[in-house]
Amino acid sequence: MSEHVPLSTLTTLRLGGPAEYLVECTSTDVLVEVIRLLDEQKVPVLLLAGGSNLVIGDDGFDGVVVRIATSEITVTESVVRAEAGAVWDAVVEAAVTAGVGGLECLSGIPGSAGATPVQNVGAYGVEVGSLLRRVRLLDRRTGETGWVEPAALGLGYRTSILKHSDHAVVLEIELDVRADGMSAPLGYRELSVALGAEQGERRPTAQVRDHVLGLRRGKGMVLDPADHDTWSAGSFFTNPVVPDERLGGVLEAIASRVGPDVRIPQYPADGGTKLSAAWLIERAGFAKGFPGPEAPASLSTKHTLALTNRGDATTADLLALARQIRDRVEDVFGVRLHPEPVTVGCEI
């Protein structure tokens, strides 16, 4: 057990105050026993793996941080199995190297395998929820472990019942994959264009992975310690879903701002119509790199949906920028943006 560990060293934003204590668990059995013991003693616990979808307050965490450092990955012709602490991109790379398909569009996403069903991680037309076979959970209320089917997780757009509750801990995941070494049918226009392919076409997994990584690097979405644009939590806001009864008014407000002939990106979604958060942020007056190179926290210079630490920011700096963007978009368009990362010891 370590004491007074700066949590900024364990998050991709490189923000967060100290942890009173930190325990690193490299086996699932040890992880389960540590959590059970701490829960029995009613000790405050923060579970942390890749730290890629986490905003921790400047005061840190007054309790025990349990670092999930389990890392085993196994690949067969039909199933990929990964422990919760395995680096997610290592899982994708292992699948591609083994010649199985399905995960390649999720290349380059930072974080751990265990976090993917919690957030229902998705990119380039593919969501983890569409690939999940089952998830092994520790129920902290009973201390029992067991496998559950995806239907029990309440998976939705960048969410699940696991995201807003601490009742269960992901221990392992299993994902269905294709044995033929070909990608899933391409469903995202930007990726299809980059590949010179038609939407719905399938391509070799290694080829798709290379292009996904290239697209993500161009947006500062592949971790690089030397690139402050990657000192982020990825996409900070989810794309808003506007209910049908509000859509007309919202579209009218947008058109009055950008002009009636400008195409507004919009997509069918459960509960209404999904709009592009990045597009709204830009049309509300926030350019890449806002508010400028001297700011401690700014929008990425490559992508307006990422809020970044330019090297010496505090969590308070980042949250002030997030509030400014959220409030301006709501004032201009009547659409409230919601953060994608989980917050600990702070509020947006």
Side-chain angles (χ1 to χ4, degrees):
M1 180 181 289
S2 303
E3 298 183 32
H4 308 298
V5 176
L7 293 173
S8 57
T9 64
L10 300 176
T11 67
T12 56
L13 270 165
R14 290 158 172 84
L15 295 177
E20 185 177 10
Y21 299 103
L22 183 141
V23 178
E24 186 165 289
C25 300
T26 56
S27 83
T28 297
D29 288 344
V30 169
L31 173 64
V32 169
E33 290 307 312
V34 166
I35 296 173
R36 284 173 176 164
L37 178 62
L38 292 171
D39 286 348
E40 286 171 4
Q41 299 298 318
K42 301 190 184 305
V43 175
V45 173
L46 171 63
L47 300 170
L48 188 150
S52 63
N53 199 50
L54 196 60
V55 181
I56 300 176
D58 293 315
D59 291 336
F61 184 73
D62 187 16
V64 176
V65 174
V66 176
R67 178 85 189 280
I68 303 173
T70 54
S71 59
E72 185 175 348
I73 302 167
T74 58
V75 182
T76 70
E77 288 188 348
S78 59
V79 178
V80 171
R81 183 169 178 171
E83 290 185 312
V87 174
W88 172 251
D89 194 55
V91 177
V92 179
E93 183 178 31
V96 171
T97 300
V100 297
L103 306 186
E104 55 286 330
C105 286
L106 303 177
S107 295
I109 295 175
S112 66
T116 59
V118 176
Q119 190 72 9
N120 193 15
V121 164
Y124 296 102
V126 176
E127 288 186 334
V128 162
S130 67
L131 303 166
L132 275 179
R133 173 176 286 206
R134 57 180 186 163
V135 177
R136 186 180 174 213
L137 300 176
L138 165 65
D139 187 329
R140 297 176 67 180
R141 296 163 295 186
T142 65
E144 299 298 317
T145 68
W147 291 92
V148 301
E149 303 297 315
L153 300 178
L155 297 166
Y157 171 60
R158 301 298 176 269
T159 193
S160 71
I161 63 172
L162 301 170
K163 183 174 181 179
H164 302 291
S165 168
D166 59 4
H167 291 160
V169 180
V170 177
L171 303 175
E172 297 177 78
I173 65 172
E174 286 186 352
L175 304 129
D176 290 316
V177 289
R178 301 167 180 266
D180 61 4
M182 300 294 286
S183 72
L186 299 171
Y188 198 85
R189 185 176 182 276
E190 182 185 23
L191 179 57
S192 299
V193 169
L195 284 160
E198 297 294 327
Q199 287 186 263
E201 191 176 335
R202 300 177 65 203
R203 288 292 181 89
T205 56
Q207 182 185 30
V208 174
R209 174 172 165 80
D210 286 346
H211 279 76
V212 168
L213 289 173
L215 290 170
R216 290 185 65 86
R217 286 192 186 97
K219 299 174 183 177
M221 293 292 189
V222 176
L223 293 180
D224 179 352
D227 182 0
H228 286 284
D229 278 335
T230 74
W231 291 31
S232 77
S235 297
F236 197 87
F237 295 105
T238 58
N239 291 321
V241 176
V242 180
D244 293 338
E245 62 271 18
R246 293 194 59 238
L247 183 61
V250 167
L251 294 180
E252 184 177 333
I254 295 173
S256 69
R257 170 85 177 185
V258 304
D261 298 326
V262 174
R263 177 185 169 273
I264 302 170
Q266 50 187 299
Y267 314 93
D270 290 341
T273 297
K274 184 188 297 182
L275 304 180
S276 166
W279 192 91
L280 292 172
I281 289 168
E282 292 170 11
R283 292 342 182 259
F286 299 102
K288 296 172 184 175
F290 177 89
E294 303 304 317
S298 77
L299 290 177
S300 165
T301 66
K302 302 180 181 74
H303 194 326
T304 52
L305 204 49
L307 276 63
T308 66
N309 171 7
R310 306 317 293 184
D312 58 0
T314 64
T315 301
D317 293 328
L318 186 92
L319 296 182
L321 176 62
R323 294 186 194 105
Q324 182 182 3
I325 293 167
R326 178 198 63 191
D327 293 348
R328 175 66 174 165
V329 169
E330 186 169 23
D331 288 344
V332 172
F333 300 127
V335 177
R336 189 170 183 85
L337 300 180
H338 295 282
E340 188 168 323
V342 175
T343 56
V344 175
C346 58
E347 293 182 0
I348 297 171

